[in-house]
Amino acid sequence: MKVFITGGAGFIGSHLAERLIETGHEVLVLDNLSTGAMENIQHLVGNPAFEHRIGCVTEAPLVAELVDRCDVTIHLAAAVGVRLIVEQPVHTIETNVHGTEVVLQAVAKKQKRVLLASTSEVYGKSDRVPFSEDDDLVMGATTHARWAYACSKALDEWLGLAYHRDKGVPVTVFRLFNTVGPRQTGRYGMVLPSFAAQAVEGSPITVYGSGEQSRCFCHVHDVVKSIEALMMEDSSIGGVFNIGSDREVTINALAEMVRADAGSASEIVHIPYSEAYTEGFEDMMRRMPNVAKLERTIGFKPTTALEKIVSDVVAEQRARRATA
Ligand code: UDP
């Protein structure tokens, strides 16, 4: 199959491109290199199964041309990362909503298969863990910038499902939970690469809030295998799927694990949310996916152990530091 990946030079997109080429597909990537980077896909350039274009997912004629050349589109391009969202709310809302509109209009013309990336952020402040796909979404007030991201992605989901119902477009939505692994940068505020870089440098490891909040971290290799399996499985059409790990860890425990893996003497410090983000920032205490629906549909669920994930990320940060 020929697969069009928007945001294909990003952290997840570049791993997905690599995986699909390995399993015999052809890949066409579009990326504007805003949070993505050429270095993520440099090793694929020159491979006859790989092609890339630099451009924005909001450029409708370009997107239409690339959609037409492929059998299936996987739409990952988005403004992501809590820090970016809090700092650039207009950019976040416009990129996420308009980009998805452009993609859906293009696939609808030719009734082509599309998979839309969404996020666990859409569950918002719900405390009913684990989160299942049909659960209510509990968003915060519009005065808190964080929720603009959740709302923009929820709107993407509604639009995608509406195209499926109204126009019969074969749409699948997947919600990604804290995906981590090599190539993720800490620049946009993601916790694991930030901790790993701090531990390797020997600088303080910055835990925000009490550190008793927890997350489930999923290896990007498990994530891209799951996306590929949803793409190959027609029964996923019209559905929404959680993709993530169901092993929970507190941020305090994660900081300890990273420090131990790195053999680092870094101090672990706690920073109030108001200093780390902005005044009134709202975090969620727990976020865990129910992955039963994913497992039922594709026959497996993410399994990479957290210890292995942490050691992969620490090793990468050490290698980056050595070459910097
Ligand atoms: N966090 C932290 N230190 C950092 C970055 C993040 O303690 O340097 C916390 C953050 O407040 C949140 C968790 O780690 O509770 C996960 O943050 P991330 O931005 O990676 O993902 P989120 O789950 O918030 O989307």
Side-chain angles (χ1 to χ4, degrees):
M1 243 184 316
K2 188 162 175 120
V3 186
F4 174 40
I5 307 176
T6 72
F11 157 55
I12 300 172
S14 61
H15 282 282
L16 180 62
E18 207 171 292
R19 164 79 190 177
L20 293 174
I21 290 170
E22 265 166 33
T23 52
H25 300 284
E26 282 176 70
V27 168
L28 170 54
V29 156
L30 175 69
D31 204 296
N32 68 353
L33 305 181
S34 57
T35 54
M38 269 316 288
E39 65 179 35
N40 289 340
I41 51 170
Q42 202 62 60
H43 61 294
L44 299 174
V45 174
N47 186 320
F50 180 78
E51 189 185 336
H52 75 282
R53 298 281 286 269
I54 309 299
C56 196
V57 71
T58 50
E59 291 170 45
L62 174 62
V63 169
E65 176 205 325
L66 303 182
V67 161
D68 281 0
R69 288 179 44 205
C70 295
D71 304 299
V72 47
T73 297
I74 304 182
H75 177 45
L76 294 174
V80 292
V82 174
R83 170 142 307 137
L84 185 70
I85 286 143
V86 171
E87 286 169 4
Q88 297 184 27
V90 172
H91 169 74
T92 300
I93 299 168
E94 290 185 351
T95 306
N96 293 358
V97 177
H98 188 48
T100 302
E101 260 182 308
V102 166
V103 167
L104 285 168
Q105 280 165 5
V107 295
K109 272 198 197 121
K110 303 277 166 75
Q111 288 292 309
K112 292 220 168 151
R113 179 99 168 90
V114 63
L115 291 95
L116 301 180
S118 183
T119 165
S120 57
E121 281 275 324
V122 299
Y123 291 104
K125 297 196 273 190
S126 171
D127 55 7
R128 292 186 48 196
V129 289
F131 299 145
S132 298
E133 291 84 349
D134 291 331
D135 287 353
D136 288 343
L137 310 182
V138 187
M139 304 283 171
T142 50
T143 44
H144 292 305
R146 173 182 200 138
W147 305 114
Y149 177 57
C151 271
S152 69
K153 295 306 291 187
L155 192 54
D156 286 352
E157 291 195 18
W158 270 308
L159 196 59
L161 296 173
Y163 266 85
H164 174 66
R165 287 191 205 111
D166 279 15
K167 301 178 192 288
V169 180
V171 178
T172 300
V173 173
F174 55 89
R175 293 179 178 159
L176 301 178
F177 284 67
N178 294 82
T179 304
V180 291
R183 288 186 212 141
Q184 184 178 38
T185 117
R187 212 176 307 143
Y188 309 106
M190 277 74 169
V191 68
L192 186 52
S194 303
F195 282 5
Q198 291 164 341
V200 166
E201 281 165 18
S203 55
I205 297 178
T206 54
V207 172
Y208 300 160
S210 70
E212 285 309 298
Q213 71 273 30
S214 62
R215 296 290 188 271
C216 299
F217 295 95
C218 187
H219 199 293
V220 66
H221 290 160
D222 287 333
V223 167
V224 299
K225 271 188 226 162
S226 303
I227 297 172
E228 180 191 30
L230 286 173
M231 174 183 95
M232 300 304 289
E233 179 52 64
D234 282 352
S235 71
S236 75
I237 291 172
V240 177
F241 296 85
N242 288 336
I243 300 181
S245 153
D246 49 10
R247 174 168 168 196
E248 206 175 9
V249 64
T250 66
I251 300 303
N252 282 331
L254 182 74
E256 298 281 359
M257 282 178 79
V258 170
R259 182 167 66 174
D261 187 277
S264 163
S266 286
E267 186 190 356
I268 295 175
V269 296
H270 288 80
I271 296 179
Y273 287 121
S274 56
E275 250 175 64
Y277 300 105
T278 49
E279 201 60 52
F281 180 81
E282 292 182 293
D283 202 13
M284 56 284 293
M285 282 309 284
R286 296 179 70 193
R287 174 191 275 167
M288 182 200 270
N290 178 338
V291 283
K293 184 176 175 190
L294 179 74
E295 195 174 9
R296 248 189 348 263
T297 306
I298 64 174
F300 63 92
K301 66 176 186 174
T303 50
T304 304
L306 185 59
E307 291 72 13
K308 157 87 175 135
I309 296 176
V310 167
S311 78
D312 272 12
V313 174
V314 168
E316 195 212 17
Q317 290 295 338
R318 191 169 279 126
R320 277 195 196 200
R321 194 171 150 76
T323 56

